[in-house]
Every structure is written in C-alpha cells, then in structure tokens.
C-alpha cells in the first residue's frame, strides 16, 4: 500500500508526493462514504485487469455530492 498526495498550497504540482503516513479526519458518515468508495473501486478492479486510464477511481467521479471544496481520493490499482 502506498499513499500519495498534494498539499493544499501545491495542488497544481505535476507529481504527487509519496507519504510515509496518511491521516484522515472523518465523521462516521464520511467513514461510510470512504468505505463505499473503496468497495466500488474493488468491484471495478475485480471485473478484470485494468488497462491504462482505467487503473484508478476518483472519489469525485463516484460521489454525486462531491464539490471542489472537498479533497479528492484516488484509488490506484497496483498489480501485486
């Protein structure tokens, strides 16, 4: 498992930074949302080996209530 991301001040960076630790501050409803998004990504990846451009799922594309004020969560499939 690897975690990558951008700081708010560096959101336009070309490459995300690799994090050693990632902290999510979530309400119970937000935890449920993240769990559902992860389950969606798992089902997406289980349908077959993803090709280029299909190997990731964005929270912003999946969650109808997402707004640009929220951070995006990107789940990237990594072949074992």
């Amino acid at each position: 498992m690897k975690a990558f991301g951008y700081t708010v001040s560096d959101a336009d960076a070309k490459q995300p930074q690799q994090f050693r630790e990632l902290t999510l501050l979530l309400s119970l409803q937000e935890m449920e949302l993240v769990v559902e998004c992860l389950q969606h990504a798992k089902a997406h990846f289980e349908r077959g080996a993803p090709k280029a451009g299909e190997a990731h799922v964005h929270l912003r594309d999946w969650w109808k209530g997402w707004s640009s004020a929220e951070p995006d969560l990107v789940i990237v499939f990594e072949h074992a």
Side-chain angles (χ1 to χ4, degrees):
M1 180 187 308
K2 296 177 183 166
F4 295 86
Y6 301 96
T7 62
V8 173
S9 62
D10 199 18
D12 293 328
K14 299 269 188 225
Q15 294 291 325
Q17 300 174 34
Q18 184 169 356
F19 298 129
R20 186 182 65 123
E21 180 177 309
L22 180 65
T23 302
L24 301 174
L25 180 60
L26 305 170
S27 68
L28 291 175
Q29 291 172 325
E30 291 167 330
M31 278 186 224
E32 184 64 31
L33 182 70
V34 169
V35 167
E36 289 175 12
C37 185
L38 289 169
Q39 289 173 335
H40 164 77
K42 180 178 180 281
H44 174 76
F45 299 141
E46 283 178 336
R47 285 194 281 274
K51 297 177 178 73
E54 300 173 354
H56 67 284
V57 173
H58 285 262
L59 174 68
R60 70 178 181 218
D61 296 336
W62 173 81
W63 180 25
K64 291 175 180 42
W66 187 87
S67 74
S68 59
E70 299 286 341
D72 191 16
L73 174 65
V74 183
I75 298 103
V76 179
F77 180 73
E78 182 176 57
H79 297 277

